[in-house]
Structures are given as C-alpha cells and as structure tokens.
Amino acid sequence: MLVESPPDRGAEPRAAAKPAGRGSHRAAGLLLSLGVLALVCVASVVVGAKQVPLGDVWHGLFQYTGAGNDVLIADVRVPRTLLGLLAGVALGLAGAVMQALTRNPLAEPGLMGVNAGAAAAVVTGTTLLGTTSFLGYVWFAFAGAAVVSVLVYVLGGGRSATPVRLALAGTAATAALYGYVNAVQLLDSAALERLRFWTVGSLAGADAAVVGAVAPFIAVGVGLAAAVARPLNAMEMGDDSARALGVNLTRTRVHAMLAVTLLCGGATAACGPIVFVGLMVPYLVRAITGPDMRWILPYAAVLSPVLLLASDIVGRVVARPSELQVGIVTALIGGPVFIHLVRRKRMSQL
C-alpha cells in the first residue's frame, strides 16, 4: 500500500517569509535614508560659503536676536535648506512618475523638456509681461510644463511611443526652448542680470515667502503621485493587463501628468531648471526596491533631496567665498551617469 508522505508544513511559511523579509529590509532602508536626509539638512544649515561657528548656528536657530550671524542662519540658510528639500522631493517624484508612465528608464523632467518648458514660460512672463513675483510667474511655469509634456508625448509617438523616440523628442524640445531662453536674455540685458542664476538652477536667494508659496503646489503634486502608485504598477504590465485589473488608463495618465506638472512647475519656478536629479535617483532606487511604485516613490522623495542638498553644499564649499550653482553641480554629476546608462547593453536595445 502506498503511503503519502506528510506535506511539508514549513514550505509555505518559508515562501511567505521571503517577501516579508524584503519588506522589512525596504522599511529599514527607508529609515536609514531618512536619517541621512536629516544629517544633510543639518549640514546645509551649518556649512556654507562663509564659515560660521557652531555656537552662532545654535544661537541663530534657537536664540534669534537679529544680530551677528543670526540673519545668515535663520533667514538665509534655513529657507534655502527647506527649498532644497521641497525641490528635491518634487524632482525625484516627478522623475519616478515619468519613468513609470512612459516605461522609459531615461525619462526625467530635464531630459523630457518639462523643465525647459517651465523655464521658457517663466522667462516669457518676466521679460515680456513684466511679472516679477513668485505667485505671478508660477502659473507660467505650470503652463509651460504642461504644454511641453503633452508636446513631447505627441512627438514621441503618443501611445506607440518608444523610450528612444521620447528621449529624442524631449532633447529636441529642450534644445529649442533653451535657445529661446538664451535669445530673450541676450536681447534684454536687465532680464539677463535678473535671471542669470535662476536659469542654471539655484537655491540661492530663497526666503520664507518663496518656500511658503511653493509648498502647497508641491504638496498637491505629492498627493497625486501617491494616488497613482498602484495604477502605475498595473500599467507596467501593459495596457491590456491594466484594464483587466480595473485601471482607468485615461484617468491615471491625466492624474500622473498633472502631478508631474505641479511638481516640476513648482520646483522650476522656485529654483530654476535643475536637471538629472529626477533621472539618477529613481533609476538607482529601482535597484533597491524593485519595480513597486509604492516603495519607489517614498525612496525617491527621501533620496532626491539628499542629492540636491549635498550638491548645493558642494557648490558652496568648492568655490569659497563665492558659490557654484546647484544646477551646475547636478549636471556635472548627472552627465557621466546618463552616458553610463545609455551605454549599458540593456539601454542600447530599447
């Protein structure tokens, strides 16, 4: 008589333990990333083009009197750090959403022309229409980002777009728009002087008013990005599979592009066009978290401001007593990374 062997009771728990263990590792990594972000924020307040004793930093933060270095710490470096934090979150989430939406690992607000569209619209508003306040030209940034997002998507082939075609369309749009920006600035010397730091991406000159004005727009963008995380996961498997899972493709695409527009428009209006942050961080995060957008978005929201603020600190230190704008530093870091990604065998086959 054949006797069936008893089932392996430990097989199922062990199989279920692997995802649970991976989830705990992801959570631990996210907590570690938050700790790194906190350290970088502290360093951004302490370190700058001008060396300030730690005692003065403490005094400026907690015993503000308006004398000595109090103004530098509380009114300059703290808003600058907060703006870098907000802009980093915005650019990281925008890059992650764009990569998932277009299924293009090279998608990034700077490379896809979104930042250039916002910059061109802001330059138009400030030079031709005389808009000078942040609340005045932030709407130009949103409009420019939205129009160029749609234009690049259409030029890239729409629903039949490939990663290469989207990248080429974005590169062409970026070149044309920055050519327009440079032409306007050369023809208007006042505009050139007013916008020369903004157009390369800078956190210098940030104040509490700008931080308070941009925060609501970025907060709404963050909420929209979080809301489309699950639908984007389904769309990674293809449109037909996503429909079978009950995903409304049109609504998801609209919400995702609205999130990108709010995030990129707000960050660009406040800091200028900063490139490669939205490319490098989400791409590297995927190697840590896998393709799950529910983990990619939190990691990108934490690690992108780490990169942006660290780049800003480097720019303030290497060029003392002057400063190197953060957009230049991120471009110097991101250029070689982008070339490496393009040269990878997997990328060459896209």
Side-chain angles (χ1 to χ4, degrees):
M1 182 175 64
L2 296 177
V3 178
E4 294 183 353
S5 59
D8 184 1
R9 299 294 181 183
E12 185 175 350
R14 281 199 298 269
K18 186 175 181 180
R22 187 175 185 183
S24 64
H25 291 160
R26 289 168 173 170
L30 187 58
L31 289 175
L32 178 61
S33 300
L34 286 169
V36 173
L37 177 58
L39 291 176
V40 172
C41 289
V42 172
S44 179
V45 175
V46 174
V47 180
K50 178 183 177 181
Q51 295 183 346
V52 178
L54 289 177
D56 288 0
V57 173
W58 181 269
H59 192 277
L61 290 174
F62 302 106
Q63 298 174 342
Y64 181 87
T65 61
N69 289 317
D70 288 3
V71 173
L72 174 63
I73 297 300
D75 298 337
V76 177
R77 289 189 184 174
V78 169
R80 182 173 186 157
T81 301
L82 292 175
L83 183 59
L85 181 63
L86 289 172
V89 170
L91 294 174
L93 290 180
V97 171
M98 289 188 71
Q99 289 176 11
L101 183 64
T102 62
R103 299 174 200 151
N104 179 4
L106 300 182
E108 192 262 348
L111 295 176
M112 301 298 286
V114 180
N115 286 350
V122 169
V123 169
T124 299
T126 55
T127 58
L128 301 183
L129 302 178
T131 304
T132 57
S133 67
F134 173 82
L135 287 178
Y137 63 70
V138 70
W139 300 108
F140 288 95
F142 291 146
V147 170
V148 174
S149 297
V150 175
L151 178 63
V152 169
Y153 183 71
V154 172
L155 292 177
R159 293 188 177 182
S160 61
T162 64
V164 172
R165 292 177 65 180
L166 285 171
L168 291 175
T171 301
T174 298
L177 290 169
Y178 278 135
Y180 165 76
V181 170
N182 292 332
V184 171
Q185 289 182 296
L186 289 175
L187 293 173
D188 189 339
S189 58
L192 176 62
E193 181 63 26
R194 187 168 60 249
L195 298 172
R196 63 192 181 97
F197 289 123
W198 182 88
T199 52
V200 297
S202 175
L203 298 178
D207 56 29
V210 172
V211 173
V214 74
F217 298 107
I218 293 179
V220 175
V222 170
L224 285 172
V228 297
R230 286 181 179 272
L232 287 177
N233 277 344
M235 290 174 64
E236 289 274 3
M237 299 183 293
D239 289 356
D240 292 338
S241 298
R243 288 192 190 94
L245 293 172
V247 174
N248 187 318
L249 299 181
T250 300
R251 183 172 59 191
T252 300
R253 290 191 175 102
V254 170
H255 287 176
M257 289 310 303
L258 182 57
V260 170
T261 299
L262 288 170
L263 293 168
C264 291
T268 303
C271 309
I274 298 175
V275 297
F276 289 122
V277 174
L279 168 68
M280 291 186 286
V281 176
Y283 182 85
L284 295 175
V285 161
R286 284 179 179 269
I288 302 173
T289 66
D292 191 344
M293 290 296 292
R294 293 172 297 177
W295 284 102
I296 290 174
L297 293 180
Y299 266 90
V302 173
L303 293 178
S304 294
V306 169
L307 174 62
L308 186 61
L309 287 172
S311 299
D312 187 47
I313 294 170
V314 170
R316 284 185 272 172
V317 171
V318 298
R320 283 175 174 168
S322 184
E323 293 185 8
L324 192 63
Q325 305 306 313
V326 66
I328 298 174
V329 179
T330 59
L332 291 173
I333 298 172
V337 173
F338 180 68
I339 293 172
H340 169 70
L341 296 180
V342 172
R343 288 178 60 86
R344 286 174 62 94
K345 181 179 179 180
R346 183 169 57 182
M347 293 299 174
S348 64
Q349 296 173 347
L350 290 174

